[in-house]
Amino acid sequence: MKTPNDILERSQGLVKTIVIAAADDSQVLEAAKAAVARRIALPVLVGNVAAIKRLAWAIRFDLEGVELHHAASAAESVLVGADLVRAGRAEILMKGHVNSSVFLSAVLNSRHGLRKSPLLSHVALFFPAFYPKPVLVTDAGLNTHPSFDDKLLILRQGVEVLRKLGVAEPKVAILAHNEVPSRKVPVSEEAIRLVEAVAAGAVSDCIVEGPLALDLALDDEACRSKRFQTRVGGRADLLLCPDILSGNILYKAMTVIGKAQGAALIVGAQVPIVLTSRGDSMETKLLSIALAAATA
Amino acid sequence: MKTPNDILERSQGLVKTIVIAAADDSQVLEAAKAAVARRIALPVLVGNVAAIKRLAWAIRFDLEGVELHHAASAAESVLVGADLVRAGRAEILMKGHVNSSVFLSAVLNSRHGLRKSPLLSHVALFFPAFYPKPVLVTDAGLNTHPSFDDKLLILRQGVEVLRKLGVAEPKVAILAHNEVPSRKVPVSEEAIRLVEAVAAGAVSDCIVEGPLALDLALDDEACRSKRFQTRVGGRADLLLCPDILSGNILYKAMTVIGKAQGAALIVGAQVPIVLTSRGDSMETKLLSIALAAATA
């Protein structure tokens, strides 16, 4: 798996059922149409049926054979979508034209919600041009200041995604500002404890090192010039971020500075959740559906 | 000023006196030699004179006319270097073959030290390929968790560097994970207060906005697609980082992901301080000397 195309090929023909809540969103419908064309997914559309049909017609998305469920509001669409997932009628949930916080509060709701793990987390898979393989960044979008235990769950969920993509023993870098832990930066000392917890069995099937600065995690040359002995450095598959501030900056650096193609998911729920934003490209939306299908 | 070469040209012929503490470092001597060749700086070398002469000879660096000061240890070299600066004998200080913490504690020392501002800060100027101008990242290297007041000083010192480089009214983005402040992420609310403090006159000669996510700060297209009204977004000259974790990740992203050429300085002392690390390229070391000369 080296290019975004490999994700598309991996998910081609899987025809996973994807329920789209508040599907009256032409960009999301475009991505769904492309996913149908590649037989990655079969959509179930929830929302204002008239609006959905009108938008689908405008982009020549043939809804023949596509299940439609009417909902009176965006919020109701999410509840109907979650119900379909809980009833086992869908393998992926995708957010359409509805505010993220409305969508997430429904997903996290204790009665109607879709929780499976004690924690949902955000994973983003990037294919940076300079790197010989994809790299998973987590958590850049959901958990603001994850605790030690949260980080173990985030790490485990990230490792599971990579294993489903065929990376047998993901190499994990626990990011900080330096490879030398410092009392002034608690996250860098926490990294040591995370490595110890993983070694003690908290997360299996991965090789973890930390703290690591980003250059040591991704750049072989930086490891050599620092004479840094490592099994993860220069070849990390997963970057565990200290918090949402650094995670989001890394995520945006991948797209804005690195022009890397990427796909993002929320994991830890009963099914993978695709939650792309208006600013994401059509490629990112399709890739995210493909990543969901490949890991569902 | 658009390329690294513009910094070199700007500093060419300035012949600023640069004192190098613990100059027995062949990479640092290489950079000094290149700075001499371009008449950017005139070095004063402090350290083990025999070792310095041997290393200089090996790289064909002609020490004719170069002032040499013997010091018995690396730590003593830093003290001698700081003395030379305080005596007005040097306009730039550079770290050679000495541990950064030894170097910095001498610089920050209340008796022998070189403090001018209540706070020293780290600035890094990058020339990313995708961006039409350089961008200054601060603080990615010195202050771990700067307070509100620290951030105002960091911001002011960054603005001063850019103004010395000819940017009359730098556009400053106060980075966070999102343009919408959130109670869950105190830094994003702090950004609002920083903008208010600048508007009230705490820092002059700049245009400040925040909180901004990195994509909005650097990518015009992201601002358009979010219909984000802004004077800074997509064209920021200065990125104020939330803390050292996010700052260091951004710094490393610029070099590792963006392959951007860069230069780094410590500012706020009596003279600009060049503190490059072993992993930095020769170009980065020379550019950092040039940046120091241009802003000294």
Side-chain angles (χ1 to χ4, degrees), chain A residues 145 177 184 215 248 252, chain B residues 145 177 184 215 248 252 258:
Chain A
H145 297 285
H177 68 305
K184 283 188 190 165
D215 57 337
N248 190 274
K252 301 290 171 58
Chain B
H145 297 283
H177 68 304
K184 284 188 189 165
D215 57 338
N248 190 276
K252 300 290 171 57

Side-chain angles (χ1 to χ4, degrees), chain A:
Chain A
M1 203 181 44
K2 286 181 177 174
T3 69
N5 213 41
D6 296 335
I7 289 279
L8 294 178
E9 279 179 12
R10 201 176 179 92
S11 59
Q12 192 132 0
L14 294 178
V15 203
K16 301 267 176 161
T17 309
I18 181 170
V19 56
I20 303 178
D24 54 316
D25 179 310
S26 63
Q27 288 185 44
V28 168
L29 285 175
E30 279 276 15
K33 180 187 167 192
V36 168
R38 291 172 172 271
R39 298 190 307 115
I40 292 169
L42 176 70
V44 173
L45 306 179
V46 184
N48 181 322
V49 168
I52 293 170
K53 284 186 173 168
R54 196 167 52 238
L55 291 169
W57 183 82
I59 61 166
R60 299 180 189 208
F61 180 11
D62 182 3
L63 295 184
E64 179 79 43
V66 170
E67 204 176 308
L68 294 168
H69 292 261
H70 189 72
S73 67
E76 196 191 308
S77 294
V78 186
L79 295 178
V80 171
D83 280 345
L84 287 165
V85 169
R86 266 182 293 104
R89 303 270 303 281
E91 296 153 294
I92 303 166
L93 175 63
M94 183 170 189
K95 181 183 92 75
H97 188 195
V98 51
N99 184 284
S100 290
S101 61
V102 170
F103 179 84
L104 282 171
S105 70
V107 167
L108 296 168
N109 182 286
S110 54
R111 224 178 95 228
H112 294 284
L114 302 177
R115 284 177 185 276
K116 189 181 68 176
S117 156
L119 184 93
L120 302 195
S121 58
H122 183 273
V123 298
L125 191 73
F126 288 105
F127 294 84
F130 72 92
Y131 207 56
K133 57 183 179 179
V135 61
L136 194 87
V137 173
T138 187
D139 179 325
L142 202 57
N143 294 286
T144 54
H145 297 285
S147 68
F148 179 83
D149 290 335
D150 291 345
K151 282 185 179 161
L152 282 179
L153 286 168
I154 290 170
L155 200 163
R156 186 184 303 162
Q157 289 171 184
V159 166
E160 274 170 23
V161 167
L162 285 167
R163 284 178 51 82
K164 284 180 183 160
L165 295 176
V167 185
E169 200 176 32
K171 297 183 179 67
V172 176
I174 300 174
L175 292 183
H177 68 305
N178 201 307
E179 77 280 12
V180 183
S182 148
R183 262 188 221 165
K184 283 188 190 165
V185 186
V187 155
S188 67
E189 295 193 322
E190 184 193 56
I192 301 279
R193 299 202 310 281
L194 286 167
V195 170
E196 288 166 357
V198 172
V203 184
S204 47
D205 304 314
C206 61
I207 305 173
V208 178
E209 283 183 22
L212 285 181
L214 184 66
D215 57 337
L216 293 180
L218 296 181
D219 185 5
D220 221 16
E221 189 55 41
C223 295
R224 270 198 299 274
S225 99
K226 283 206 166 189
R227 295 198 185 117
F228 184 67
Q229 293 293 325
T230 175
R231 294 171 71 199
V232 170
R235 66 196 84 165
D237 298 297
L238 191 157
L239 305 174
L240 184 74
C241 300
D243 56 20
I244 203 167
L245 291 164
S246 50
N248 190 274
I249 283 177
L250 178 54
Y251 180 103
K252 301 290 171 58
M254 287 281 184
T255 59
V256 174
I257 301 175
K259 310 285 178 208
Q261 282 268 24
L265 284 186
I266 289 174
V267 294
Q270 289 166 27
V271 296
I273 297 171
V274 181
L275 193 156
T276 54
S277 71
R278 201 145 276 273
D280 289 324
S281 67
M282 168 55 196
E283 288 76 18
T284 292
K285 290 188 172 87
L286 174 60
L287 269 184
S288 298
I289 295 173
L291 180 61
T295 59

Side-chain angles (χ1 to χ4, degrees), chain A residues 128-131 215 218-222 253 257-258, chain B residues 4 126-130 250-262 284:
Chain A
F130 72 92
Y131 207 56
D215 57 337
L218 296 181
D219 185 5
D220 221 16
E221 189 55 41
I257 301 175
Chain B
F126 288 105
F127 294 84
F130 73 91
L250 178 55
Y251 181 103
K252 300 290 171 57
M254 286 282 184
T255 60
V256 174
I257 302 175
K259 310 284 179 210
Q261 284 267 26
T284 292

